[in-house]
Amino acid sequence: MEYSGTLKSSLDTYRTEAEEEANFHSNLAQRFSEEASKLNEFHGKQKEERKKHEDIVHRTHKNKAELYRKMMQCKSSYESKCKSSEKADSDAEKLKFGNKPKEAEKAKKNAAQCRSSALKADEDYKSSIGCVESARQLWITEHSTACDVFQRMEEDRIKCMRNTVWVCCNFVSDVCCKLDNSRERIRQITENCDPSSDIKEFIAQKSTCIAPLQQIEYGSAQNNANSDPGFGSKVNGHIYESEDDYSPTSSNAGSVTSQTVCRAIYDYNPNSEDELALQKGDQISLRSSTTADDGWMNGYNHRTKCEGLFPQNYVNF
């Protein structure tokens, strides 16, 4: 459907503002996408840093557990060899005052070997305890460092999320303000929509006949040939007020004289070069060649100093 006038202006404004609002939403989506990319990048960096410290803590914990297991083995070996040494000493002491010197000597050597093994197991046990303690201290240090890093990372994560939410809210607020301004412009142009002026403009642009066809009346040639119309007589649809307005012998009989002045009662925008622009209140002098048979008249506009055709029903005599 084709529109014109103020309604067309309103629809054009609405179409323009709708396209602008679509651009606002598209830009908003793009900015959201950029913020999401920043969040993903931030999350990736934190994930890498967290994994690095988790691996360090895991290795130190595994090393500590392995050293603790070896320490327990050393402890078990130490306790076993201590018992063997005590038993060997007890057996040697029993055979010392017996009648079997060879067995006593053998038991003495065995007791000496057991004591030596017990001493070595004791040293291994003490060394393993030292290794476990060093591993424990390293584990505590790495664990404490990882906890501090994780705490800082969590604070950074919360700050990043807070700033992202803040920025996104600002994006939405900015778009809402722009949308409100856009819709206010639509409301303003819609308030100026005037159906009456649109209808008049549509009639002026699309009309094909200004006045309806007049009824054809029978006129007797015998009666009209011997009589002149009096003042106020109507000839060819026009009322003549004086003798000067009408002369049955004049070549302009049946036409409006150049002395007739009318006043525009509506605005009229010309659609061609030979038409006359009118504004309500304009004074128009009709030319002698003017005829109203087709609903159009020829006249001179005293305001614009122009001459041309105009619709008969746009003026009042």
Side-chain angles (χ1 to χ4, degrees):
M1 183 179 293
E2 182 179 356
Y3 299 98
S4 61
T6 57
L7 179 59
K8 183 177 184 300
S9 300
S10 300
L11 294 177
D12 290 342
T13 301
Y14 184 82
R15 183 182 300 106
T16 302
E17 296 298 335
E19 293 174 354
E20 190 68 19
E21 289 182 10
N23 292 331
F24 291 157
H25 288 291
S26 177
N27 294 335
L28 179 62
Q30 180 64 30
R31 297 167 85 176
F32 278 164
S33 178
E34 293 174 358
E35 291 299 320
S37 300
K38 293 179 182 178
L39 277 180
N40 291 332
E41 182 180 358
F42 175 79
H43 176 70
K45 291 181 179 179
Q46 281 210 331
K47 186 177 180 180
E48 292 178 359
E49 188 173 3
R50 178 180 290 275
K51 187 176 185 304
K52 180 180 70 174
H53 288 280
E54 286 177 347
D55 290 343
I56 293 174
V57 172
H58 178 71
R59 286 196 300 269
T60 55
H61 177 74
K62 184 178 180 180
N63 182 55
K64 179 178 71 68
E66 182 66 21
L67 291 174
Y68 181 80
R69 185 182 61 81
K70 291 181 179 180
M71 184 269 295
M72 293 304 294
Q73 291 177 352
C74 291
K75 180 182 179 180
S76 177
S77 175
Y78 167 70
E79 291 175 349
S80 176
K81 290 183 178 181
C82 284
K83 290 180 180 180
S84 299
S85 177
E86 290 177 356
K87 186 176 182 302
D89 288 340
S90 177
D91 293 341
E93 192 66 27
K94 289 179 182 179
L95 295 174
K96 181 178 179 180
F97 300 101
N99 297 325
K100 298 178 179 180
K102 290 184 179 180
E103 292 181 0
E105 186 64 25
K106 185 177 179 181
K108 183 178 179 181
K109 290 181 179 180
N110 184 39
Q113 289 178 354
C114 288
R115 282 195 299 271
S116 177
S117 297
L119 290 174
K120 187 175 183 307
D122 180 61
E123 290 177 358
D124 292 342
Y125 178 44
K126 290 179 179 179
S127 176
S128 65
I129 290 177
C131 292
V132 170
E133 180 60 23
S134 298
R136 187 185 71 85
Q137 292 292 338
L138 179 61
W139 180 83
I140 290 176
T141 301
E142 294 296 340
H143 191 274
S144 178
T145 301
C147 288
D148 292 339
V149 171
F150 294 160
Q151 176 68 23
R152 176 182 57 79
M153 290 173 61
E154 184 65 14
E155 292 175 356
D156 292 343
R157 185 186 69 84
I158 294 174
K159 290 180 181 178
C160 180
M161 289 299 299
R162 171 189 174 276
N163 292 338
T164 301
V165 172
W166 187 282
V167 170
C168 290
C169 287
N170 288 338
F171 289 164
V172 175
S173 177
D174 179 59
V175 170
C176 287
C177 291
K178 292 180 179 179
L179 291 177
D180 186 64
N181 293 334
S182 174
R183 287 158 187 170
E184 180 62 26
R185 289 191 290 270
I186 294 175
R187 285 191 291 268
Q188 291 177 354
I189 195 67
T190 305
E191 288 176 356
N192 295 329
C193 184
D194 186 3
S196 299
S197 62
D198 288 354
I199 292 173
K200 292 179 182 178
E201 182 174 349
F202 177 81
I203 293 173
Q205 293 178 355
K206 304 297 182 180
S207 62
T208 57
C209 181
I210 299 301
L213 297 176
Q214 300 294 327
Q215 180 182 359
I216 301 176
E217 299 179 356
Y218 171 78
S220 175
Q222 296 178 355
N223 294 335
N224 291 336
N226 300 321
S227 61
D228 293 338
F231 300 149
S233 298
K234 181 176 181 180
V235 178
N236 291 338
H238 182 74
I239 299 176
Y240 295 91
E241 302 294 342
S242 65
E243 292 179 339
D244 296 334
D245 288 344
Y246 174 77
S247 175
T249 60
S250 173
S251 61
N252 295 328
S255 300
V256 181
T257 67
S258 61
Q259 301 299 323
T260 303
V261 177
C262 58
R263 185 178 301 274
I265 57 176
Y266 303 113
D267 294 344
Y268 177 71
N269 295 321
N271 296 318
S272 61
E273 296 181 355
D274 61 344
E275 295 180 5
L276 185 65
L278 300 179
Q279 283 188 1
K280 185 177 180 180
D282 286 351
Q283 289 187 350
I284 311 298
S285 293
L286 303 182
R287 294 310 189 191
S288 59
S289 60
T290 297
T291 176
D293 292 343
D294 59 353
W296 290 83
M297 307 185 77
N298 186 21
Y300 174 80
N301 192 327
H302 291 271
R303 180 182 62 84
T304 61
K305 311 299 182 183
C306 296
E307 181 179 349
L309 298 174
F310 60 91
Q312 179 187 3
N313 60 349
Y314 274 60
V315 298
N316 187 19
F317 293 93

